[in-house]
Amino acid sequence: MPYVFAALVGLASLAVSLLLAMRRLKTSEERIANAVARKQAQVERIRKVARTTLQQARDLRDARRRRNSVDMGCEELEQRVKAAGSNDRRVYVLDDRRTRADAGWILRVVNGEYAAKVNAQLDPVALESWKRGRRILVWGLDEKKAREKLHARYPENKGFAITGAESYQG
C-alpha cells in the first residue's frame, strides 16, 4: 500500500506539474500571438508611413520642379523688364494746345546739372532720365517754332539743351 500511495502521490504531482506546464504553455502561446499581432500592426504602420513618405517625396520633387520653373520665369521676366527699362520709351507732352497747321515734334532734352541748377530733391531715377535725355512732344508750325516753345519752358540758362529732333507721326 505504501507503494500505491507513493504512486498516487507521484501521479498527482505529475498531473499538477502537467497542468502547470500546460498553463505556462498557454500563456506563452498567448504572448507569442500577442507579439505577432503587435508586430503585424507595427509593420502596417511602417508601410503606411512609408507610403506617406514616398508621396511626400514625390510632392517635394514636383514642388521643386515648379519652383525651378517659376524661378526661370522670374529671371526671364526680370531680364525683359531690365531690357525694357534700359530704353526709356516715354514721351512727355509739353502741352496739348495746337492749331490745325501745327505739326508734332519730338525733341530730346538733356540736363546733366538738373540737381544743381533746378531741383536737388528730385528722385534719383528722374535725375538719371534728365542726364540721358527726355523725349518731349511739342506742337509747332515747324521745328524752329517747336524749339522756341520748348526753350520757353526749359531755358538754356538752367542747363537744358536740345540734342535731337524728329517729326512726330502719331
Side-chain angles (χ1 to χ4, degrees):
M1 182 96 177
Y3 292 114
V4 174
F5 182 71
L8 285 176
V9 169
L11 189 61
S13 65
L14 181 65
V16 169
S17 296
L18 192 59
L19 282 174
L20 288 176
M22 291 297 279
R23 275 190 202 149
R24 285 188 198 132
L25 182 62
K26 195 173 197 178
T27 305
S28 296
E29 285 176 347
E30 288 174 358
R31 286 182 184 165
I32 290 171
N34 193 6
V36 167
R38 282 195 326 257
K39 177 187 168 199
Q40 190 62 33
Q42 185 71 19
V43 166
E44 289 302 317
R45 283 193 299 271
I46 289 171
R47 284 183 180 163
K48 183 178 178 183
V49 169
R51 282 191 297 269
T52 303
T53 303
L54 287 173
Q55 183 60 42
Q56 288 175 343
R58 284 186 212 112
D59 293 345
L60 182 61
R61 280 193 304 271
D62 291 343
R64 284 182 178 156
R65 256 187 254 122
R66 284 192 307 270
R67 187 196 73 208
N68 290 340
S69 174
V70 167
D71 286 345
M72 287 174 33
C74 285
E75 286 176 18
E76 180 183 329
L77 186 59
E78 286 174 357
Q79 290 172 356
R80 287 176 36 203
V81 166
K82 195 179 276 186
S86 65
N87 297 333
D88 192 7
R89 293 186 177 101
R90 287 182 280 192
V91 175
Y92 298 88
V93 178
L94 184 65
D95 65 10
D96 219 15
R97 289 179 281 158
R98 61 182 171 163
T99 64
R100 290 183 186 245
D102 284 346
W105 296 91
I106 295 186
L107 304 174
R108 181 170 290 278
V109 179
V110 296
N111 188 345
E113 302 170 348
Y114 191 87
K117 291 190 175 185
V118 181
N119 183 2
Q121 273 72 31
L122 193 62
D123 182 65
V125 175
L127 286 174
E128 185 61 32
S129 76
W130 277 113
K131 287 178 185 175
R132 283 192 319 265
R134 286 188 174 189
R135 298 176 344 142
I136 300 176
L137 174 61
V138 182
W139 298 98
L141 291 173
D142 57 11
E143 184 180 339
K144 182 180 175 193
K145 292 288 185 186
R147 284 177 180 264
E148 288 173 3
K149 210 173 183 183
L150 188 68
H151 278 300
R153 174 68 177 90
Y154 300 108
E156 288 179 342
N157 64 353
K158 288 195 175 182
F160 293 101
I162 298 173
T163 59
E166 60 186 69
S167 177
Y168 177 66
Q169 303 298 327

